[in-house]
Amino acid sequence: MLTVDFPPEWQGRNSQLILRPHDFYLDGAVRVLVDPTHRDYLSDSPLFISLESHGHEDIPKFALKFAFRGDFLSSLEFENAVYNLLKPLQGTVIPRSLGLFMCEKQDDSIGCLALEYWGSTLSQPFYTLPLHLNSP
């Protein structure tokens, strides 16, 4: 089970979501507190970063990719399938994935792909980076 606590000052979102693993068994429970400085919280497909987490000590910080509408779930399911295929690379070349979690709210499905947080996003497309930065 994944429990996500949202900042109380965020209007329009539940203060807490409890999601269940979609396609695997998670031994135990993970609780994540979302960083309140994230400004895209009213989006239907936001990315949240955790301030703190409990229950999975080898991953101290999470990136949580949400689909707050059912029609966005297919892209999260596809990304989860790709992470599953790339499992041998997780933790070394790509972030570790805790998997896809789901819950039902107000006649719609909510999905969350929980990933190990590896830092901020690139400020420009990868292919435009200087060669010494985008090659091994």
Side-chain angles (χ1 to χ4, degrees):
M1 179 170 43
L2 174 66
T3 302
V4 180
D5 293 316
F6 294 102
E9 63 268 20
W10 286 5
Q11 302 299 314
R13 287 278 174 237
N14 296 323
S15 61
Q16 183 181 78
L17 280 178
I18 298 173
L19 303 110
R20 305 219 176 274
H22 177 61
D23 60 354
F24 66 98
Y25 174 75
L26 175 66
D27 185 24
V30 175
R31 186 176 195 128
V32 175
L33 174 63
V34 169
D35 183 347
T37 61
H38 184 83
R39 298 290 177 227
D40 193 26
Y41 65 90
L42 291 177
S43 169
D44 288 329
S45 58
L47 170 71
F48 297 125
I49 306 303
S50 68
L51 263 183
E52 60 183 65
S53 64
H54 306 280
H56 207 291
E57 276 58 29
D58 62 324
I59 300 179
K61 199 168 186 180
F62 287 91
L64 305 169
K65 297 178 89 171
F66 271 93
F68 282 112
R69 288 190 352 223
D71 55 332
F72 288 125
L73 286 176
S74 61
S75 61
L76 273 187
E77 290 171 334
F78 177 77
E79 188 172 353
N80 183 54
V82 170
Y83 271 98
N84 287 339
L85 288 172
L86 299 174
K87 195 134 189 109
L89 301 177
Q90 290 184 24
T92 57
V93 178
I94 60 172
R96 289 178 286 174
S97 172
L98 203 56
L100 183 61
F101 294 82
M102 307 281 291
C103 75
E104 300 294 322
K105 290 282 185 189
Q106 301 166 348
D107 300 326
D108 209 354
S109 296
I110 295 173
C112 175
L113 184 60
L115 304 168
E116 178 180 27
Y117 179 73
W118 271 19
S120 58
T121 59
L122 295 174
S123 60
Q124 63 191 69
F126 182 76
Y127 68 88
T128 65
L129 291 173
L131 188 58
H132 72 280
L133 293 177
N134 73 7
S135 60

